[in-house]
Amino acid sequence: MQFSEQWLRSRVNPSLSTDQLSYLLTMAGLEVEEVNAAAPAFSGVVIGEVKECEKHENADRLRVTKVDVGTGELVQIVCGAANVAVGVKVPCALPGAILPGDFRIKPTKMRGVESGGMLCSGKELGVPDEVDGLMLLPADAPVGQNIRDYLGLDDSLFTLKITPNRADCLSVRGIAREVAALTGSPLTAWDIAAVAPQSDSKLAVAIADGAPCGRYVGRVLKNVNAAAPTPDWMKRRLERSGLRSISAIVDITNYILLEQGQPMHAFDLDKIDGGITVRMAAAGEKLVCLNEKEIELTPELMVIADAAKPLAIAGIMGGLDSGVTSASRDIFLESAFFQPEAIAGKARALGFGSDSSYRYERGVDFALQTEAIERATALVLEICGGEPGPLTETVSALPARASVAVRTARVAKVLGISLAADEIAAIFTRLGLSFEQNADGFVVSAPSFRFDIAIEEDLIEEIARVYGYDNIPANAPVAAQTMLPQPEGLRVRSEVRRLLAGRDFQEIVSYAFVEEKWERDFAGNSNPVRLINPIASQMSVMRSSLIGGLVDTLAANLNRKHSRVRVFEIARVFHKQADGSVQQPEVVAGLAHGSRVDEQWGSKAERVDFYDIKADVEALLYPRVAEYRKAAHPAFHPGRCAEVLLDGAVVGVLGELHPQWVQAYGLTNAPVLFELAVEAVEQVGRVKLAPVSKFQPVRRDLALVVAEEVTAATLQQAMLAVAPEFVRELALFDLYRGKGVDEGKKSLAFRIVLQATDRTLVDDEVEQAVAAMLAAAEAVGAVLRA
């Protein structure tokens, strides 16, 4: 909604600056998106009247004029505009004037003739003007008056972002009503008197059964001059509200829309066959709208029709064939109330809308139609003349306004301030809400223009708006604080984040809505959880993995020349079950790409690999020790992917991204990723105390030759299963393939550390323990390397 500040202040003029008024409206819920000047800054321009105009002696296209600027002496000005003539009144920039673009006017000579100023066009002043040449002013324009004052150019254009529930503020009348309520300034109401009929001409009006039209008011006006010019004051207000002037009759209906908030339409009476009926369209009917688009009507659309054909799509747009032209002599004005739900969504389905549909689908004041048509009639008579007929009004079902109760105690509890009943009553009065007071509070009846007041909280919001959000103190909450127990077996979420941040990861937050392609590529999920009404086509399903978001973040960073990326995310994923239900577990996932450490002199550049991310996973799960098992996953490189197991249960996966997706998503190198269940990361187990041994440890090394398919974990688990309690460590420290080891086999070297806490181990104990572990390894196919 765009409007002129001067227009608003002609009805309510609070002692606030433009900036203060903008802030007040925004804080009251009518967000001011922008405030622009009606015209650029310029000075020194007055109204001048051309008294003499002669051809320049040295130039065919120039004229030498003598201009009266109200100083008592004529000013000689050379002008090249084609429309300069004796008697015209135009803007005149005198020496010393500054025009837009810091263009300064000073006396000069043009082809040898003195020129003491400049006659201006609208373009040169930054003022909209359809005339090709000088801006021509009305004959009654006062000579010598500053043009800014005459045209009201020291004006501001407000653009409000009106929420759908405040359709009552889609007019100057509604905004003025709000400003008066918010500031307590007096409101100059519109004095709309009934126009006395001057003829008996009228059209029969009917509302068909089932048509969602609550009220329809019409009036015939005979012998109007539709070709009469629109007054400059009306053109100015329309233009400053974002509407261009079309013709006097159309401009008047648009003016009523902006001023009163009531959409109106004018028909050419000679193009109406019989009376008017508001009905639902019949299948197959067609209508060419004012935008010259032909619409095939459907039974869901309501139309204004005569005895033979549809004339307009009700609440959306009129028909081209029945519209008023400059040749029209007799017109029919309509003003109607249509139920919002009957208009909502229809314009969007048709592929076009209008200012009328924008208001109707949000709710128009259902008591305004008669006032609006009387106001429009008076303007038509003033501008175009004519003979008005009597009003024709048909009323169907109008909305009911249920009473809403609000409790004084509830107001205090919600707003956190104590307001006396008298203060609340004063606020309701300023808002135009009728009410009855009782012991608990008030019973309020909303006026016809307020569609948004239905429950107690709506009234509390109104109280807060008018009282002023800035006036509500920001008191800190008062509550008893108790220390909550922290189970020692759980790792808190913040600690998980700190741990990953300490390992050089940065946290991201991505959308839970993802592309369906991501689900197929990274999760092998052909049946994801689909959204019924996605906000965008590329966000149509719910993610079952965080890998897609991490890869997308990597691609965005690579596009911005960040080659080393380490990111993580903790969030929910969504898994559809066989019975149709959806599980929403939390997972933590991370991605590493680029060099192992940032560029530095202390170490050479090496790419991060599978074992780097495996170390990160082990740090996350510590002190619990996970098992790793070769796995196949649609997101990861075959042979470079492993499942993570705790106590035999799979809790996650890690690996290097599949080359197919590296190429498909335009990555420079393959990143390494992990994804773990948050529950597994948080379960760290209870701390177990153990004494520090005072006795010497013993180390033994075993080099075992096994087949390639035998994993180190298999050997390790087999040996740990028979290891006595004084075996402190069993770790792989070498992998060898080559001379001395048969083809298809490998050598794995394990370090065994043995240490008791109560004695020094003797050789027999050590040898027996190592022999038992060697026998367990041999049982799974290992051979001691010679």
Side-chain angles (χ1 to χ4, degrees):
M1 170 69 186
Q2 181 177 305
F3 62 92
S4 157
E5 182 182 3
Q6 288 181 354
W7 191 3
L8 175 67
R9 288 187 183 270
S10 70
R11 292 295 167 178
V12 58
N13 191 13
S15 56
L16 300 173
S17 67
T18 299
D19 289 342
Q20 290 171 331
L21 179 60
S22 171
Y23 181 77
L24 174 77
L25 290 171
T26 298
M27 291 305 295
L30 308 179
E31 181 185 350
V32 178
E33 284 194 299
E34 59 182 357
V35 179
N36 296 315
F42 63 85
S43 63
V45 182
V46 300
I47 298 172
E49 181 178 2
V50 178
K51 293 296 187 180
E52 299 177 17
C53 182
E54 297 178 353
K55 182 178 178 298
H56 195 292
E57 58 185 8
N58 298 320
D60 293 338
R61 296 187 179 181
L62 296 180
R63 298 289 184 271
V64 180
T65 66
K66 297 290 182 68
V67 183
D68 179 7
V69 293
T71 61
E73 295 182 0
L74 299 182
V75 179
Q76 179 171 290
I77 299 176
V78 178
C79 177
N83 62 342
V84 64
V86 173
V88 298
K89 291 185 177 180
V90 295
C92 179
L94 298 175
I98 302 175
L99 299 187
D102 198 28
F103 182 69
R104 298 174 182 270
I105 303 299
K106 56 187 178 182
T108 186
K109 279 188 177 183
M110 298 184 68
R111 296 289 184 95
V113 177
E114 295 285 346
S115 180
M118 174 179 170
L119 303 183
C120 303
S121 66
K123 183 178 181 181
E124 288 163 336
L125 299 179
V127 179
D129 186 24
E130 297 178 357
V131 177
D132 184 14
L134 300 178
M135 174 185 278
L136 302 180
L137 303 173
D140 60 354
V143 172
Q145 184 177 359
N146 188 300
I147 195 70
R148 296 193 72 91
D149 296 336
Y150 179 73
L151 296 180
L153 298 181
D154 293 321
D155 192 8
S156 296
L157 307 183
F158 280 66
T159 301
L160 303 190
K161 186 177 182 180
I162 304 293
T163 52
N165 64 316
R166 292 308 307 272
D168 59 298
C169 291
L170 290 171
S171 65
V172 172
R173 179 174 182 165
I175 298 166
R177 192 165 46 210
E178 277 290 297
V179 172
L182 294 169
T183 63
S185 300
L187 174 66
T188 303
W190 280 261
D191 185 13
I192 301 175
V195 175
Q198 298 176 19
S199 74
D200 296 330
S201 298
K202 63 179 182 179
L203 277 182
V205 174
I207 300 174
D209 291 341
C213 174
R215 189 194 307 272
Y216 192 94
V217 182
R219 167 174 272 154
V220 171
L221 287 98
K222 307 278 284 186
N223 299 317
V224 300
N225 178 15
T230 302
D232 287 341
W233 64 267
M234 182 178 286
K235 279 186 179 180
R236 222 162 22 239
R237 287 182 172 180
L238 290 173
E239 288 166 354
R240 293 181 188 179
S241 299
L243 297 180
R244 64 183 180 90
S245 175
I246 299 173
S247 67
I249 299 298
V250 175
D251 289 350
I252 288 169
T253 60
N254 285 337
Y255 185 81
I256 297 300
L257 174 96
L258 295 171
E259 181 189 74
Q260 302 293 325
Q262 173 63 52
M264 293 188 66
H265 188 65
F267 297 99
D268 189 323
L269 186 64
D270 294 336
K271 299 174 182 177
I272 299 177
D273 185 2
I276 291 289
T277 302
V278 185
R279 61 173 173 83
M280 305 309 291
E285 287 186 309
K286 294 184 178 181
L287 178 69
V288 179
C289 296
L290 288 172
N291 60 3
E292 301 182 358
K293 184 175 181 180
E294 185 178 50
I295 300 299
E296 185 169 344
L297 304 174
T298 62
E300 292 78 26
L301 293 172
M302 183 167 43
V303 296
I304 312 300
D306 62 13
K309 60 190 178 300
L311 303 174
I313 304 175
I316 299 177
M317 189 170 289
L320 182 64
D321 295 338
S322 61
V324 172
T325 67
S326 59
S328 300
R329 296 294 296 167
D330 303 330
I331 66 171
F332 177 73
L333 286 178
E334 72 160 18
S335 176
F337 169 76
F338 303 117
Q339 299 289 353
E341 56 272 17
I343 310 299
K346 301 298 190 298
R348 182 178 179 182
L350 292 172
F352 61 84
S354 63
D355 289 328
S356 295
S357 65
Y358 185 81
R359 286 160 174 80
Y360 272 128
E361 65 187 5
R362 286 159 173 77
V364 169
D365 182 356
F366 58 82
L368 184 60
Q369 288 70 49
T370 301
E371 280 191 22
I373 207 164
E374 295 286 12
R375 172 74 168 142
T377 302
L379 289 172
V380 172
L381 297 179
E382 176 186 337
I383 298 168
C384 304
E387 302 164 7
L391 283 183
T392 304
E393 181 176 11
T394 302
V395 178
S396 180
L398 293 173
R401 284 287 184 263
S403 297
V404 180
V406 59
R407 296 160 290 173
T408 307
R410 179 66 176 166
V411 173
K413 183 174 182 180
V414 172
L415 300 184
I417 55 175
S418 180
L419 291 177
D422 291 346
E423 293 180 271
I424 296 176
I427 289 173
F428 288 157
T429 301
R430 286 159 61 180
L431 287 168
L433 306 177
S434 59
F435 60 88
E436 293 181 2
Q437 193 168 349
N438 55 35
D440 293 333
F442 300 84
V443 177
V444 179
S445 297
S448 56
F449 55 83
R450 293 300 295 268
F451 280 74
D452 60 317
I453 296 178
I455 58 176
E456 184 178 29
E457 284 71 17
D458 294 331
L459 290 171
I460 296 174
E461 180 185 8
E462 292 301 296
I463 294 168
R465 286 193 321 109
V466 178
Y467 181 79
Y469 293 120
D470 287 346
N471 296 324
I472 299 176
N475 297 325
V478 178
Q481 295 185 351
T482 57
M483 185 78 74
L484 297 176
Q486 176 61 52
E488 63 176 323
L490 291 177
R491 177 185 284 131
V492 295
R493 190 69 52 84
S494 59
E495 186 180 343
V496 176
R497 289 186 165 91
R498 283 197 300 270
L499 195 154
L500 285 166
R503 298 186 72 84
D504 212 12
F505 284 87
Q506 297 185 28
E507 186 173 12
I508 68 165
V509 177
S510 63
Y511 281 108
F513 313 140
V514 300
E515 290 188 54
E516 187 171 355
K517 184 176 185 295
W518 288 8
E519 283 297 292
R520 291 195 304 268
D521 292 350
F522 300 124
N525 186 4
S526 60
N527 187 26
V529 179
R530 300 184 186 277
L531 297 172
I532 296 174
N533 186 24
I535 60 176
S537 59
Q538 71 272 20
M539 305 172 80
S540 59
V541 301
M542 303 296 289
R543 65 189 175 195
S544 63
S545 169
L546 300 184
I547 293 174
L550 294 173
V551 172
D552 185 60
T553 300
L554 171 61
N557 277 271
L558 292 177
N559 289 338
R560 290 160 179 78
K561 308 302 180 185
H562 298 295
S563 59
R564 184 174 186 269
V565 178
R566 294 174 71 87
V567 290
F568 78 94
E569 182 172 13
I570 301 175
R572 291 192 181 279
V573 294
F574 303 84
H575 297 153
K576 184 184 288 188
Q577 305 302 301
D579 60 0
S581 62
V582 177
Q583 289 187 349
Q584 304 179 34
E586 281 189 289
V587 299
V588 52
L591 175 148
H593 176 275
S595 59
R596 179 173 288 121
V597 295
D598 208 356
E599 185 178 0
Q600 56 168 289
W601 60 267
S603 61
K604 62 181 180 180
E606 293 180 336
R607 276 176 49 189
V608 66
D609 61 18
F610 176 91
Y611 296 101
D612 293 308
I613 209 80
K614 180 171 178 282
D616 294 326
V617 170
E618 289 176 344
L620 265 180
L621 298 175
Y622 184 83
R624 302 177 75 186
V625 178
E627 299 175 34
Y628 301 90
R629 183 171 64 197
K630 182 179 178 181
H633 190 284
F636 295 123
H637 190 303
R640 299 182 188 178
C641 171
E643 292 177 330
V644 184
L645 296 89
L646 285 174
D647 302 326
V650 177
V651 297
V653 64
L654 73 155
E656 184 179 295
L657 192 67
H658 198 293
Q660 179 181 357
W661 310 135
V662 174
Q663 182 178 5
Y665 289 89
L667 309 180
T668 55
N669 295 305
V672 191
L673 303 98
F674 71 85
E675 188 171 63
L676 301 171
V678 166
E679 185 180 7
V681 175
E682 291 179 335
Q683 299 287 340
V684 296
R686 298 177 67 87
V687 176
K688 295 180 180 179
L689 299 179
V692 178
S693 178
K694 302 176 183 179
F695 305 97
Q696 282 287 99
V698 178
R699 171 173 171 163
R700 293 288 186 271
D701 294 341
L702 288 179
L704 304 172
V705 177
V706 294
E708 282 284 0
E709 60 270 14
V710 178
T711 64
T714 301
L715 286 176
Q716 198 170 25
Q717 292 164 15
M719 290 189 285
L720 285 174
V722 298
E725 51 86 21
F726 52 76
V727 173
R728 296 295 181 199
E729 182 183 358
L730 175 61
L732 178 71
F733 70 89
D734 185 51
L735 167 64
Y736 174 74
R737 296 182 182 90
K739 186 177 179 180
V741 176
D742 295 340
E743 187 74 22
K745 295 192 175 183
K746 59 188 175 184
S747 171
L748 300 174
F750 290 90
R751 176 178 66 251
I752 306 173
V753 177
L754 308 95
Q755 184 183 35
T757 59
D758 57 348
R759 66 189 188 282
T760 299
L761 294 176
V762 297
D763 290 344
D764 286 347
E765 290 179 298
V766 171
E767 297 306 327
Q768 288 176 10
V770 172
M773 296 170 71
L774 177 60
E778 291 173 341
V780 294
V783 176
L784 188 64
R785 182 178 170 188

